[in-house]
């Protein structure tokens, strides 16, 4: 692994640990096919992460993509967040991921920015 990437990843993790809050990333994925029922089970995977929750600037709220009440979450995670995943904040607030962007220099995600 590229030494610069390793440093960026560690620095992001350290800053999120210092400034962030505990966040649980709850990801639902397809499980196994059950021949008896003819259905595919779903598995819920939870990962303990650290992240920062911030409000959007008023100028970023366009009423279409970013709406009033949306928040920006910056998170470091081993699991790539998906649209529809849930984020459980330290105060038990549950947020749904509407959009996600990976910050990935050299093609490897250092942090995820989510709406």
């Amino acid at each position: 692994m590229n030494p610069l990437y390793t440093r960026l990843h560690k620095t992001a993790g350290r800053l999120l640990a210092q400034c962030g809050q505990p966040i649980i990333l709850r990801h639902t994925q397809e499980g196994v096919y059950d021949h008896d029922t003819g259905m595919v089970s779903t598995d819920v995977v939870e990962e303990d992460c650290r992240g920062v929750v911030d409000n959007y600037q008023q100028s970023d709220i366009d009423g279409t993509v970013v709406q009033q009440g949306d928040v920006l979450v910056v998170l470091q995670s081993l699991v790539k967040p998906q649209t529809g995943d849930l984020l459980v904040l330290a105060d038990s607030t549950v947020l749904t991921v509407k959009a996600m962007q990976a910050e990935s220099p050299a093609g490897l995600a250092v942090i995820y920015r989510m709406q």
Side-chain angles (χ1 to χ4, degrees), residues 17-77:
Q18 290 173 357
C19 304
Q21 64 174 295
I23 297 176
I24 297 171
L25 172 62
R26 189 173 292 154
H27 177 73
T28 303
Q29 60 189 21
E30 285 189 6
V32 295
Y33 178 77
D34 184 336
H35 292 283
D36 295 333
T37 64
M39 300 182 73
V40 176
S41 66
T42 55
D43 296 326
V44 176
V45 177
E46 289 189 347
E47 181 187 1
D48 293 326
C49 307
R50 302 246 351 142
V52 175
V53 180
D54 196 9
N55 292 315
Y56 280 98
Q57 298 291 326
Q58 192 62 38
S59 60
D60 294 331
I61 299 171
D62 63 5
T64 305
V65 177
V66 180
Q67 298 178 0
Q68 192 70 35
D70 285 354
V71 294
L72 173 66
V73 178
V74 177
L75 185 75
Q76 189 175 50
S77 172

Side-chain angles (χ1 to χ4, degrees), residues 2 14 25 37 41 65 80-81 83 86 93 98 100 110 113:
N2 182 323
R14 189 179 74 250
L25 172 62
T37 64
S41 66
V65 177
K80 180 180 179 183
T83 301
L86 301 178
T93 300
K98 291 173 64 175
M100 185 277 306
V110 175
R113 295 168 48 91

